[in-house]
Amino acid sequence: MNKIYLVFLLLLPFGIYAQNQEDYINRLKAIQNNGVTYYNVDGIDFTSQTFTNSFTEKDLKFVFRKYGISNEDLKTKDTKLSYNNLHVLKSKKITDSLNEMLSYYFIEDKQKMVTAICFAYFEKPEVQFEQKLISLIIEDAIPMHVFENKRIDSVDFAGRKIHLSNSCYWTNVNTVQCPGNGEMNWSVHKTEKSANQAIKNQLTVTKIKKGLKIISEQQVDVIFEGNPAKALKVVYGFTGLTNLAVKTSGGKTLTAFYVASKVRENYVSCVMSFWNNDQINESGLPPLLEKVMQLHK
């Protein structure tokens, strides 16, 4: 039976930095699924979806409902965009020191339909970054090599092709699960600061999940993509009996490694995890994690 993994460890690589975007295409990745396109670059997740609705008050209400936008939410026009648009900015408190920002754009595209683009951040949104990406999406100018195939036999891991078994699958852009063999998410960054901040944010959000407890936490030496690096190793346990992932997997603990490191010409933030009853090789890691990291002997 395929195991259900703790997706919350993998779907939260939201970032805050989008500086020096001239070469961001080299770091951008995307996947398409059921009419929605998912993107990730510099630790920032965002999505786009086109609706057949017209850009009218009546039709926009339908689109707003899809994104949880209420009548009370402030809607403004970004005059720096060359398209008819409405912008909504929402904030959600995560901790006393961390807020999640959701930046929504509802745009009238060339076909007179509505394209909705949503950026997710921790901290302050980068408006210029949003404007650049919006223009590329609306103009259909993102290169095809950015898009990953739905079927996974290999993935582009920060510029290196990694071959995987046919049991692996995407759960989000740059997020792979291999039942019984581990899971990981990653993002490619321009700067070390951006990579470190993405890891910090993901760890913060994970730690406040209900039903989750930390059994141990320590810094360990690893080899990540061929280079020496430091990883934060966290072993999680669970309280209560309501966690579906725990019940289905049969596992009792989940071990996660958090790494931010230089990889080739960029930096990578990466979270890798596995259950205690996954296939653990002599290296101390499951097969998926072995493809990018080795424990320092």
Side-chain angles (χ1 to χ4, degrees):
M1 176 185 297
N2 286 348
K3 298 176 182 177
I4 297 178
Y5 284 77
L6 287 183
V7 177
F8 65 76
L9 280 176
L10 297 168
L11 301 186
L12 298 168
F14 303 140
I16 65 172
Y17 297 100
Q19 69 281 0
N20 299 324
Q21 289 302 326
E22 292 80 4
D23 60 346
Y24 67 86
I25 286 293
N26 295 326
R27 305 185 299 279
L28 180 66
K29 280 296 177 183
I31 57 172
Q32 296 174 321
N33 188 34
N34 294 327
V36 181
T37 304
Y38 301 83
Y39 306 87
N40 179 278
V41 63
D42 287 353
I44 300 171
D45 273 355
F46 53 105
T47 64
S48 67
Q49 183 175 11
T50 298
F51 298 84
T52 57
N53 303 66
S54 59
F55 200 84
T56 62
E57 182 177 355
K58 179 181 178 181
D59 278 8
L60 281 170
K61 286 182 178 180
F62 169 82
V63 181
F64 289 159
R65 286 197 297 270
K66 291 286 186 179
Y67 287 84
I69 306 299
S70 68
N71 292 332
E72 289 72 33
D73 289 320
L74 179 64
K75 304 168 184 69
T76 60
K77 181 174 182 178
D78 187 337
T79 57
K80 292 186 178 181
L81 289 173
S82 58
Y83 319 98
N84 198 11
N85 72 88
L86 287 174
H87 179 221
V88 178
L89 186 62
K90 301 183 74 171
S91 176
K92 178 182 177 182
K93 184 177 180 180
I94 303 299
T95 68
D96 290 340
S97 59
L98 188 66
N99 291 321
E100 179 186 11
M101 304 296 295
L102 296 174
S103 183
Y104 300 91
Y105 290 83
F106 302 93
I107 300 164
E108 184 177 32
D109 63 23
K110 294 180 178 181
Q111 288 72 42
K112 300 300 179 180
M113 296 188 293
V114 177
T115 293
I117 302 175
C118 176
F119 298 87
Y121 299 84
F122 293 119
E123 306 295 339
K124 184 179 178 180
E126 295 282 348
V127 177
Q128 291 182 344
F129 168 71
E130 294 176 352
Q131 292 168 347
K132 290 179 181 179
L133 268 297
I134 287 170
S135 295
L136 283 174
I137 291 170
I138 298 299
E139 297 296 330
D140 195 24
I142 294 179
M144 288 306 300
H145 69 78
V146 166
F147 295 87
E148 294 277 17
N149 293 325
K150 286 184 181 180
R151 182 178 178 180
I152 297 182
D153 56 2
S154 65
V155 299
D156 177 5
F157 187 80
R160 181 174 72 91
K161 182 174 286 189
I162 298 174
H163 294 278
L164 303 176
S165 70
N166 55 15
S167 65
C168 300
Y169 54 90
W170 297 110
T171 59
N172 196 3
V173 60
N174 287 355
T175 304
V176 172
Q177 294 186 4
C178 299
N181 293 324
E183 61 182 336
M184 67 180 184
N185 77 74
W186 68 94
S187 186
V188 183
H189 303 255
K190 178 70 173 179
T191 69
E192 183 178 15
K193 182 179 180 181
S194 174
N196 284 326
Q197 189 65 52
I199 287 295
K200 180 180 177 181
N201 290 340
Q202 191 167 348
L203 181 62
T204 298
V205 173
T206 301
K207 283 183 174 181
I208 64 174
K209 291 291 180 179
K210 291 182 179 180
L212 187 70
K213 63 180 181 180
I214 295 177
I215 297 175
S216 65
E217 182 176 339
Q218 65 179 129
Q219 289 280 350
V220 296
D221 294 318
V222 300
I223 304 297
F224 186 73
E225 281 295 275
N227 297 317
K230 295 286 187 179
L232 179 64
K233 178 184 178 182
V234 184
V235 179
Y236 294 100
F238 306 90
T239 59
L241 300 174
T242 59
N243 192 304
L244 177 62
V246 173
K247 288 182 182 179
T248 307
S249 72
K252 294 183 178 180
T253 63
L254 188 77
T255 299
F257 291 88
Y258 297 80
V259 179
S261 177
K262 182 74 180 293
V263 175
R264 289 172 278 281
E265 70 274 13
N266 293 303
Y267 293 86
V268 170
S269 60
C270 187
V271 179
M272 299 154 282
S273 59
F274 59 92
W275 290 97
N276 63 290
N277 61 344
D278 279 351
Q279 176 186 330
I280 310 300
N281 294 335
E282 291 183 5
S283 66
L285 298 173
L288 177 61
L289 276 62
E290 284 183 329
K291 293 182 179 295
V292 299
M293 184 179 74
Q294 295 81 44
L295 301 177
H296 196 275
K297 299 296 185 180

